[in-house]
Amino acid sequence: MRPLVLSGAILSLAGLAPAADAPIAIVGARIVTVDGPTLEKGTVVVSGGTIAAVGAEVAPPAGARIIDGTGRTVYPGLIDALNSIGLVEIQSVPGSVDLAEVGDFNPHARAWIAVHPHSEAIPIARAAGLTAALSAPTGGLVSGQSAVIRLAGSTPGELTVKAPVALHVVYPTGRPTPDPTQPFREPELKTFEEGQKEKKRNQEKALRRLRSLLEEAKAYGSALDEARAGRLAPPRPDLPMEALAPAARGALRVVIRADDAEDIRGAVRFAEERGLRLILAGGAEAGRCADLLKEKGVPVLLKVLRLPRKESDPYDAPFTNAATLHRAGVPFAIVTEDPDQARNLPYEAAMARSYGLPAAAALRAITLSPAEILGVADRMGSITVGKDANLVVTSGDIMDHRTEVVQVLIDGVPRSLETRHTRLYREFKDRP
């Protein structure tokens, strides 16, 4: 029987989503493997939801559904390594926002429980070539735990790839944060020296509290171990301490958000003192601490499209940050941090590429590097035999805004590129 030949776009629009175990072969395409050489004309075979073969001489298996890749480029699915996708729909509608719990200490908040599989942000990100993201809670001192999710599925369980991935903490800056439940009051005027002293006092107070919480969690974890071994009675149930204990004991990565160089150095010191497995998030001034981050082996989740932190900074300071980290040998992933902006992940990388980051490093920063940092590189991030078949077929360079994403496969299944944007376009495009 002659194999069915369909372009990626037609396959998607026709809704022909085969079962994950049905063989699919993308033939004649330019294949960017990321962890190996780029094949100018090759074949990728997908079977059972994983990549079964890739190469220039690979022949499609008998009965495989063929996707003609002539003139197309195949990339591994993009990964946004820091986002709150699935946790917020409309910021101004409280019922659609599940970013944070009440209070500033919520290590037991679990993103993979709260994530909304039918969020409109998921298909929009998917249509831009994203196949996975780290969905993370925000706010407070200890925000909660994150999960790597695939951008396809109808239940939280179907979306979840790995959970928990990390505990998320905001490094105390000492700056006052407004309380939205209290009426606005004009801030008390202080001299610069008074303001700096107050900031330092507030920061030290918050760090003492965080140290105390971590020590309490370590003790609680030890008590749980003793109870499981039958040597002690179980401690009183304490969900926050039970959730914090793995991070406090070094078993779970800790993502600490810090932007200023001084705060970044402080976060690195704090993590080293407490034995925390640190991942730095934010990192607006990470380039100024590149040597320290390299020495301590601290990876960075870096946002590129942002404004400079200080008036004295050059306009391109955020754009050159990635190139600085790359030259220093600091592992990093480029992120968007915002579900509404997840579709711009390729262009975050493109901006860093325009300001000195090599093209291959820019692509790696949104594919294999985030997979490595998040501990899922055995499953995704490159076009490698045995990994999940998360693939993106494009009309050209994925970091070029003129490029069209024509096909997305997640776990070997072609996914619809229909979004709220395309539906509205079709509805209103012919109106006068």
Side-chain angles (χ1 to χ4, degrees):
M1 181 178 179
R2 184 181 178 182
L4 179 64
V5 181
L6 291 173
S7 72
I10 294 174
L11 182 62
S12 177
L13 293 175
L16 299 175
D21 57 356
I24 296 175
I26 306 172
V27 300
R30 181 174 181 266
I31 302 170
V32 183
T33 63
V34 176
D35 65 344
T38 294
L39 306 176
E40 292 305 322
K41 189 173 184 180
T43 297
V44 181
V45 177
V46 172
S47 181
T50 63
I51 299 169
V54 55
E57 305 298 330
V58 170
R65 181 167 292 160
I66 306 298
I67 297 177
D68 184 2
T70 303
R72 307 299 194 191
T73 301
V74 183
Y75 292 96
L78 308 186
I79 304 169
D80 192 342
L82 187 59
N83 206 299
S84 52
I85 195 164
L87 300 180
V88 57
E89 199 67 14
I90 304 172
Q91 287 281 3
S92 59
V93 179
S96 73
V97 178
D98 206 358
L99 286 172
E101 299 299 320
V102 176
D104 68 349
F105 178 63
N106 295 291
H108 53 308
R110 298 173 176 178
W112 61 98
I113 301 297
V115 70
H116 176 40
H118 305 292
S119 168
E120 291 283 3
I122 290 177
I124 292 171
R126 188 171 63 223
L130 279 72
T131 60
L134 184 77
S135 186
T138 62
L141 180 63
V142 180
S143 307
Q145 300 177 42
S146 58
V148 173
I149 63 170
R150 59 175 61 83
L151 300 187
S154 58
T155 67
E158 288 180 4
L159 264 64
T160 303
V161 175
K162 180 183 178 181
V165 171
L167 180 77
H168 291 252
V169 175
V170 178
Y171 187 77
T173 65
R175 301 181 185 90
T177 55
D179 186 344
T181 66
Q182 299 298 320
F184 175 77
R185 293 181 180 178
E186 288 289 344
E188 180 184 350
L189 294 177
K190 299 181 178 68
T191 66
F192 176 78
E193 290 76 12
E194 290 172 339
Q196 290 298 103
K197 288 179 181 178
E198 182 181 17
K199 172 177 174 287
K200 191 67 174 177
R201 285 195 301 269
N202 292 340
Q203 184 179 53
E204 290 175 349
K205 179 180 177 181
L207 286 172
R208 284 196 299 272
R209 181 183 173 215
L210 187 55
R211 287 189 186 94
S212 176
L213 290 169
L214 290 168
E215 284 300 314
E216 185 179 349
K218 288 176 72 173
Y220 189 86
S222 297
L224 286 178
D225 289 344
E226 293 294 308
R228 294 187 187 107
R231 290 189 289 268
L232 288 176
R236 186 178 67 179
D238 190 327
L239 293 180
M241 285 298 138
E242 185 175 352
L244 184 60
R249 302 169 81 185
L252 182 66
R253 300 298 294 262
V254 179
V255 175
I256 298 183
R257 171 171 293 281
D259 278 309
D260 289 350
E262 180 183 352
D263 292 338
I264 291 171
R265 295 187 185 99
V268 172
R269 284 195 303 271
F270 182 85
E272 191 171 32
E273 290 168 1
R274 311 313 305 171
L276 306 180
R277 297 170 58 205
L278 174 64
I279 299 174
L280 178 69
E285 297 183 354
R288 299 178 182 176
C289 310
D291 291 343
L292 174 65
L293 296 171
K294 169 64 175 176
E295 177 190 348
K296 302 300 182 182
V298 177
V300 182
L301 305 180
L302 183 70
K303 182 169 177 59
V304 175
L305 296 176
R306 61 195 305 177
L307 294 174
R309 292 284 293 176
K310 299 180 175 68
E311 289 186 7
S312 58
D313 288 341
Y315 80 94
D316 61 354
F319 310 150
T320 60
N321 219 355
T324 302
L325 295 178
H326 175 70
R327 287 193 298 270
V330 177
F332 68 94
I334 292 175
V335 303
T336 68
E337 299 187 353
D338 185 343
D340 293 334
Q341 299 300 320
R343 60 193 173 90
N344 288 325
L345 181 64
Y347 314 127
E348 296 258 1
M351 183 63 80
R353 175 176 166 181
S354 298
Y355 283 83
L357 184 65
L363 179 62
R364 199 182 198 284
I366 53 177
T367 52
L368 188 54
S369 289
E372 290 171 343
I373 292 170
L374 302 179
V376 291
D378 60 326
R379 297 190 58 178
M380 57 185 67
S382 64
I383 302 180
T384 305
V385 173
K387 289 192 178 184
D388 296 350
N390 297 340
L391 303 171
V392 180
V393 184
T394 71
S395 63
D397 187 337
I398 200 166
M399 287 178 275
D400 188 331
H401 70 280
R402 298 167 296 182
T403 291
E404 179 186 3
V405 173
V406 298
Q407 183 71 63
V408 173
L409 281 71
I410 298 179
D411 291 338
V413 179
R415 306 293 177 170
S416 171
L417 300 183
E418 176 88 355
T419 70
R420 184 168 182 263
H421 297 167
T422 59
R423 292 193 298 271
L424 290 173
Y425 173 75
R426 286 198 304 273
E427 181 176 352
F428 293 104
K429 69 182 178 65
D430 295 326
R431 293 198 178 187

